[in-house]
Amino acid sequence: MKKELFDKNPVLNLSFQFALLVIEYCETLGQDKKFVIANQLLRSGTSIGANAMEAQNAESKADFIHKMSIAAKEAEETQYWLWLCKHSNGYPACDPLVNKLDEVNKVIGTIINTARKNLLNNKKIISQ
């Protein structure tokens, strides 16, 4: 993994920083014996960045959009698990994670929307 790639790519950087926070939070959940939620959150929360990373080597613009859309779906699932933690009794505060996930979601949404517009524009140019 090249550090420059993360430094120059906001979605990779944000999703990696988010994954580190998720790992730390899930370790706390594990210490509290909240294993089911910890495992689900760990999987979805770290998968966001993994899918964004995979998108960097997409075979086409459509493949890039597809892989980033999977990252967005993983972010939605992660949001669900965090909401459960936030609204359940006996779970540690997760507001910093929720806030960081909001940042990640905004970047992923912008990337997908821009990529879709570019793909549509390219199709229009080709068909003319």
Side-chain angles (χ1 to χ4, degrees):
M1 177 167 38
K2 296 182 179 180
K3 184 181 178 322
E4 313 85 59
L5 183 63
F6 280 81
D7 291 342
K8 294 179 182 177
N9 191 318
V11 73
L12 293 182
N13 193 317
L14 272 173
S15 60
F16 186 78
Q17 295 305 317
F18 178 74
L20 292 174
L21 291 173
V22 167
I23 291 168
E24 188 176 311
Y25 185 77
C26 288
E27 286 174 354
T28 301
L29 291 179
Q31 291 168 356
D32 293 344
K33 303 201 184 321
K34 298 180 184 324
F35 301 116
V36 174
I37 299 291
N39 288 335
Q40 294 284 28
L41 179 58
L42 184 64
R43 285 186 183 125
S44 65
T46 57
S47 182
I48 299 165
N51 283 290
M53 184 75 164
E54 187 177 345
Q56 304 310 302
N57 292 305
E59 296 174 7
S60 65
K61 289 182 182 182
D63 187 39
F64 175 81
I65 293 166
H66 175 72
K67 287 176 176 23
M68 289 304 295
S69 294
I70 293 171
K73 288 178 183 183
E74 292 295 333
E76 289 296 318
E77 180 181 342
T78 301
Q79 190 170 48
Y80 176 79
W81 298 120
L82 287 173
W83 284 348
L84 281 178
C85 292
K86 183 174 180 162
H87 296 286
S88 295
N89 291 328
Y91 279 75
C94 61
D95 289 331
L97 282 164
V98 171
N99 294 337
K100 182 64 86 174
L101 183 57
D102 287 343
E103 287 180 56
V104 172
N105 277 329
K106 286 177 186 173
V107 172
I108 290 173
T110 299
I111 289 169
I112 291 171
N113 288 335
T114 301
R116 283 183 179 149
K117 286 178 188 173
N118 289 340
L119 184 62
L120 286 174
N121 287 338
N122 286 344
K123 286 182 179 181
K124 287 178 186 175
I125 291 169
I126 291 170
S127 66
Q128 292 177 353

